[in-house]
Amino acid sequence: MGEIVFHVLLIGAIGYFFKESLFIDTARASDPIGPAGFPQGILILAILLALFSLFQTIRKRKKSTGEQHRPPELSKEFVGLLVSIAAFVLAVDIIGFLIACFLLLLVLLLLLGEKKVGKVVGLSAVISISFTLLFGNLLSVPLPRGVEALKTLSYYIY
C-alpha cells in the first residue's frame, strides 16, 4: 500500500511542478518551443513513467493479495550504507572531497563483501581520483577542499 501512496504523492508533486511551469515567462522567446518547453517535456515524461510504474505496482499487488508481505529486516549492509553516506556528507567539508570519497568507497566495498584489501584500496583510489579530476578539473564543479593543510594540498590536485 505504501508504494501506491508514494506513486500518488509523486504524481501530485510532478503535476504541481507542471502547473508552475505554465507560468514561465515566454514573452521574449525566440524559438518555437520557448523556455518552458524543456521542463514541461521532462515533467510530462516523468508523469507518464510514474503512471506506468503505478499501474505495474497495482497489478503486482492484485496478483499477490493472498500472500503476507513482510518488510525486509535491517541488515548490517543496509545500516552500514546509511551510516557511511551520512558520515561522508558530514565529513566532506572538513576533510575534502578526495579523501572523503576515498574513505566512502573503501567502506562501501568492504561492506558489500570484497575480501581483497589491495583491490579495495586500489579501486577506491582510482575511482576517487577519477571523480575528483572529472568533476574538479574537466567539468569545473567546485568540490569541497577541506580545512587548513588539506585545503592547500587539494590545490595541487584540482
Side-chain angles (χ1 to χ4, degrees):
M1 187 65 181
E3 288 182 72
I4 295 172
V5 171
F6 172 75
H7 280 90
V8 169
L9 290 174
L10 181 65
I11 291 169
I14 295 170
Y16 172 75
F17 287 128
F18 185 80
K19 180 185 80 77
E20 290 297 318
S21 74
L22 296 174
F23 298 116
I24 294 176
D25 183 26
T26 59
R28 292 181 276 171
S30 61
D31 59 349
I33 296 174
F38 182 73
Q40 288 173 352
I42 295 295
L43 291 169
I44 289 171
L45 179 66
I47 286 176
L48 292 175
L49 291 175
L51 285 171
F52 178 73
S53 178
L54 175 65
F55 290 134
Q56 281 186 333
T57 302
I58 292 171
R59 187 179 319 142
K60 182 176 71 171
R61 185 167 170 87
K62 284 182 181 178
K63 285 182 182 177
S64 63
T65 54
E67 300 174 13
Q68 197 66 294
H69 290 289
R70 207 177 125 209
E73 296 178 17
L74 295 176
S75 64
K76 72 171 185 144
E77 291 86 7
F78 179 72
V79 173
L81 176 75
L82 290 178
V83 169
S84 61
I85 290 174
F88 172 79
V89 169
L90 293 174
V92 74
D93 286 332
I94 299 168
I95 62 176
F97 180 79
L98 180 64
I99 297 172
C101 184
F102 174 78
L103 293 175
L104 175 70
L105 290 170
L106 192 78
V107 169
L108 290 181
L109 287 171
L110 290 173
L111 271 175
L112 296 175
E114 182 59 48
K115 304 267 191 262
K116 299 176 184 174
V117 177
K119 186 176 182 181
V120 168
V121 172
L123 276 173
S124 298
V126 167
I127 293 172
S128 62
I129 290 171
S130 299
F131 278 174
T132 303
L133 293 176
L134 174 71
F135 289 105
N137 290 343
L138 188 62
L139 299 175
S140 299
V141 175
L143 299 173
R145 295 188 177 273
V147 294
E148 303 297 329
L150 296 173
K151 185 175 187 174
T152 306
L153 180 65
S154 71
Y155 282 111
Y156 292 113
I157 299 169
Y158 60 96

